[in-house]
Amino acid sequence: MNAISKNLKTNKSDNSILFEKLYVANIKPRLREIMSPNDVDKIRWIMELMQNAKDSLYTSSNLNDQKDVEIFIEIKYNMNNEINEVIFSHNGPPFTDNSFIGLLYKISQDKENSKSIGHFSTGFLVTLVLSKKPEISGNRIDENNQIYGFSIKM
């Protein structure tokens, strides 16, 4: 813990204000762009999610030294043959608390391994071309290596 953290007292209200400001500063400008996606954004989402799945192998949460990640894509259609839902999943290691916060608030995370491709935590935002309110569910791992599930709608 650094000197600033030791002397800084925060409460839930302070944290809420901080996260709101991070959202406005980091995510809101990119959301404006995604509301009118260009051709690259329309196809980029799949590559970004695949990259995130691969990068999960190079995080500190890969306690079992998993070497491969399996990726699953399910597309559901309605009766009018229109895409109704896209489900992307993988069997990679869980989110660390840092990677989870980085995903939600687009806070740049240091790479834990030089094999990791992703950088700046910006790629996931491109998935908003599919849904303005994506649902994310999976596993997180805490500082005691306890794994627990989560589900959140952005």
Side-chain angles (χ1 to χ4, degrees), residues 91-121:
N91 67 342
F95 285 94
T96 62
D97 287 340
N98 283 338
S99 62
F100 180 75
I101 296 298
L103 173 74
L104 295 182
Y105 294 100
K106 198 189 96 133
I107 300 167
S108 181
Q109 301 293 316
D110 292 333
K111 286 187 176 188
E112 294 183 32
N113 186 299
S114 63
K115 293 180 182 178
S116 173
I117 298 170
H119 198 52
F120 303 123
S121 303

Side-chain angles (χ1 to χ4, degrees), residues 2-3 16 45 50 69 75-77 97 108 110 117 119 125 130 132 147:
N2 62 37
S16 295
W45 65 270
M50 290 170 59
V69 64
I75 300 173
K76 295 183 179 183
Y77 290 88
D97 287 340
S108 181
D110 292 333
I117 298 170
H119 198 52
L125 290 180
L130 298 175
K132 302 307 178 229
I147 297 174

Side-chain angles (χ1 to χ4, degrees), residues 6-20:
K6 287 181 187 174
N7 296 318
L8 183 62
K9 292 183 180 179
T10 63
N11 58 40
K12 287 185 180 182
S13 178
D14 293 338
N15 291 337
S16 295
I17 292 167
L18 173 64
F19 285 130
E20 183 178 335

Side-chain angles (χ1 to χ4, degrees), residues 19 39 41 54 72 81 85 91 96 108 112 127 137 148:
F19 285 130
D39 290 340
D41 283 341
K54 180 185 173 289
F72 309 93
N81 206 28
E85 185 176 10
N91 67 342
T96 62
S108 181
E112 294 183 32
T127 63
S137 59
Y148 57 96

Side-chain angles (χ1 to χ4, degrees), residues 73-92:
I73 301 169
E74 181 179 354
I75 300 173
K76 295 183 179 183
Y77 290 88
N78 63 20
M79 292 177 59
N80 297 324
N81 206 28
E82 299 166 326
I83 294 176
N84 190 34
E85 185 176 10
V86 176
I87 300 171
F88 179 95
S89 61
H90 66 82
N91 67 342

Side-chain angles (χ1 to χ4, degrees), residues 35-53:
M35 292 303 201
S36 301
N38 61 35
D39 290 340
V40 173
D41 283 341
K42 289 177 185 176
I43 60 171
R44 186 175 147 212
W45 65 270
I46 187 71
M47 296 307 296
E48 293 293 344
L49 291 177
M50 290 170 59
Q51 174 183 299
N52 290 350

